[in-house]
Amino acid sequence: MRMDLNADAGESFGSWKLGNDEELFKYVTSANLACGFHAGDPLTLYKSVRLCKQLGVAVGAHPGFPDLRGFGRREMAATPGEVYTDVLYQLGALSAFLRVEGLPLHHVKAHGALYNLAAKDAATAKAIAQAVHDFDPGLPVVVLPSTPLEAEALALGLRVVREAFPERGYAPDGRLAARGTPGSLIHDPEEAARRAVRIVLAGELEAVDGSLIRLEAQTLCIHGDNPNAPQIARRIRQALEAEGIEIRAF
């Protein structure tokens, strides 16, 4: 059995530093790099790509809403056309640095409020999927299972990679619990590792209300802005490898 560990990363901006990507990237196998809209800047993007190359981490794009102040976690009233062009723009930005470093773009995963909106709104989901398809129809799209984004990506013939979150709480409907609500964030590495093993081996997890939800995942996400992200990633990797699971990029 194999499993990818991905990290949302490259989210510093100017002199403002967020996360510890240098340590985190030692334990993950793919990274979703901010492309300058919700976080990141050209120099951060360049350094992040070079760090991924140095450590053998597959590079994915992490397009979000143009909302630096809100870190891309505030839903915006964007038209499908705006979503399409914003995603396309961000894929192009990252691809410039990948081209210089001789690396391929490995996948695409929407960020924050854009990811959550595509999990419930078909028009937004279609715009994201269309942008990825038009940029490169061979690019995989990381999705929350059983959502409009998964359906729209599959309709266009894109490969989907289903994602689960061992350090985030789930609502009973299988979507992520809203940040700020009880149980929505997990900072304990041991708890995150326990949840990761259960997701991978049993395909299930407790929602924040105690109910049981089914989860199918080919990749597990660790948020780089979690203050314990490197410790969580290390402990999850150790726990999965102890169960005989091979950790590698999808």
Side-chain angles (χ1 to χ4, degrees), residues 186-205:
I186 290 92
H187 296 298
D188 178 19
E190 292 300 325
E191 174 64 10
R194 181 194 70 81
R195 292 162 63 87
V197 170
R198 188 169 183 185
I199 291 168
V200 175
L201 295 184
E204 65 181 24
L205 199 63

Side-chain angles (χ1 to χ4, degrees), residues 20 51 53 60 146 177 227 239:
N20 184 356
L51 181 62
K53 183 178 182 179
S146 303

